[in-house]
Amino acid sequence: MARALLIDLDDTLYDEASYVRSGMAAVAREIAGLAGAPVPEVEALMLEELARNGRGKVFDVALERLGVAPQPDLIKGLVEAYRDHRPAIRLWPGVREALADLAQDHRLAIVTDGLGLMQRRKVEALGVEALVETVVYCWELGWPKPDPRPYLKAMEQLGGTPAETLVVGDNPGHDMAAAQAAGLRSLRVRTGRFAAETFPNLTADAEADSFVAAAPLIRRLETVS
Ligand SMILES: [Mg+2]
């Protein structure tokens, strides 16, 4: 019986791309103030660079295009603004209800990777802390995924045994790999960046198109175990 669920956050319960856009918008407001340019123009510049070359140089490129020298201290401040901003993000439709439903007969934990400050801001904005018993911040513990230790810690906190515990996440390289290393079963949700990717050596015990679609599968896994 899976009685303890260890659930990933980014791209499992909400769209991580929406967090990136929210962070870019926050930084665009800062840059617009510095450069005396309209916020929408700055944001458009940044999103264009993001789409073209990824996150790496977005702030530098935007500043340069607006005639502001991208000094290291300035960039550092913008990175801080990005990480510390109050994200405008939402759980995918139905996720809140699915968590509340599962919580009736499961103990739930969120196990999340990424900088503690950013992950805490996301948890706050999504209002998920009230829906689970505990949130484990892997990086704050110095155990980034696929380190199995944050999962084992969460399992312990929930009072589960390996046979009763199921890992749910979108990234096989992190979530399924950690589950394998920890000797736990796992369910992969096909949402977010890795939805279409194949991971030949990281098979999950079950797969679902979304977290909402996973809930009935979680119950089915329980009846066959
Ligand atoms: Mg994830």
Side-chain angles (χ1 to χ4, degrees):
M1 285 287 255
R3 283 287 168 244
L5 304 179
L6 312 182
I7 306 164
D8 172 56
L9 183 69
D10 295 319
D11 277 345
T12 294
L13 299 181
Y14 83 100
D15 182 11
E16 193 181 2
S18 69
Y19 173 82
V20 176
R21 287 193 298 273
S22 167
M24 292 295 161
V27 174
R29 290 192 288 274
E30 300 276 330
I31 294 178
L34 288 165
V39 177
E41 185 192 315
V42 179
E43 206 176 334
L45 258 175
M46 291 172 70
L47 292 177
E48 190 193 315
E49 170 61 17
L50 179 70
R52 192 175 298 156
N53 298 313
R55 273 182 252 186
K57 291 279 170 202
V58 171
F59 305 163
D60 305 65
V61 168
L63 287 169
E64 272 169 357
R65 301 254 313 255
L66 294 162
V68 180
Q71 305 289 353
D73 276 1
L74 182 53
I75 297 296
K76 206 174 147 200
L78 294 176
V79 169
E80 196 51 39
Y82 180 91
R83 291 174 173 168
D84 199 23
H85 90 286
R86 310 283 166 145
I89 52 176
R90 292 177 155 216
L91 295 172
W92 271 310
V95 164
R96 179 174 307 279
E97 293 76 8
L99 285 169
D101 180 51
L102 287 166
Q104 290 185 28
D105 49 359
H106 297 81
R107 303 190 68 178
L108 310 183
I110 287 175
V111 179
T112 183
D113 231 13
L115 199 74
L117 173 65
M118 289 166 64
Q119 299 316 102
R120 285 177 185 278
R121 291 273 183 255
K122 293 172 185 176
V123 163
E124 202 175 77
L126 295 169
V128 281
E129 199 147 30
L131 299 170
V132 299
E133 284 183 47
T134 183
V135 181
V136 174
Y137 297 93
C138 305
W139 286 22
E140 286 185 356
L141 296 166
W143 298 334
K145 298 179 186 182
D147 193 317
R149 284 175 289 182
Y151 286 96
L152 294 170
K153 182 184 166 72
M155 181 180 80
E156 243 171 63
Q157 279 181 254
L158 298 186
T161 63
E164 294 171 333
T165 302
L166 182 70
V167 170
V168 182
D170 70 292
N171 182 350
H174 283 176
D175 306 309
M176 276 76 251
Q180 261 179 26
L184 305 175
R185 289 184 303 165
S186 67
L187 186 152
R188 177 182 179 187
V189 291
R190 293 270 195 169
T191 39
R193 281 181 295 157
F194 302 101
E197 273 192 50
T198 309
F199 293 79
N201 301 317
L202 294 167
T203 316
D205 295 276
E207 284 194 13
D209 288 340
S210 68
F211 184 79
V212 171
L217 291 177
I218 289 169
R219 299 202 192 279
R220 205 174 309 155
L221 273 179
E222 287 161 12
T223 59
V224 297
S225 61

